[in-house]
Amino acid sequence: GAVPLKPFANLPDSCTSNISFSKQIMPIITTNCAIRGCHVSGSIKPDDFTLPATVIADAVSGDMKNRVNWTGSNNPMPKSGLLTPCQISKISSWIDAGTPNN
């Protein structure tokens, strides 16, 4: 299972509530994960994150939450550097809400 995130202090509600997969999660994934050499078709990395269904499946498995958490993973992602506390909270909140395709 996924490692619970330590809560980040003083985040606005927009980082934790009413998270939209299409408007908030996919843009984070597209900018930080579905990039050349990483989670795109034909890359050496598994999972093509240009496909929304693949992103949802990876989130459901618990792997995504563990990897973006950094403190709970031995292979943290993205390799380019930490996501912001707000981005991590959005992903975590979306997963905790059942990964709705909204």
Side-chain angles (χ1 to χ4, degrees):
V3 175
L5 288 172
K6 292 181 182 177
F8 295 103
N10 303 316
L11 287 177
D13 287 345
S14 61
C15 297
T16 59
S17 300
N18 301 314
I19 304 301
S20 165
F21 175 69
S22 61
K23 293 178 183 170
Q24 294 165 292
I25 302 303
M26 274 308 287
I28 294 169
I29 300 299
T30 300
T31 303
N32 297 281
C33 312
I35 57 176
R36 186 175 176 191
C38 292
H39 294 281
V40 293
S41 180
S43 174
I44 59 169
K45 305 288 186 227
D47 304 332
D48 181 352
F49 284 174
T50 63
L51 304 171
T54 305
V55 174
I56 292 170
D58 202 66
V60 168
S61 77
D63 193 42
M64 180 178 293
K65 195 170 184 180
N66 285 337
R67 300 248 179 156
V68 301
N69 187 357
W70 285 80
T71 58
S73 175
N74 62 2
N75 187 18
M77 296 288 161
K79 292 292 188 189
S80 59
L82 288 168
L83 295 176
T84 68
C86 187
Q87 289 171 320
I88 293 170
S89 293
K90 284 179 183 181
I91 292 170
S92 180
S93 296
W94 169 70
I95 292 170
D96 290 347
T99 65
N101 189 357
N102 56 357

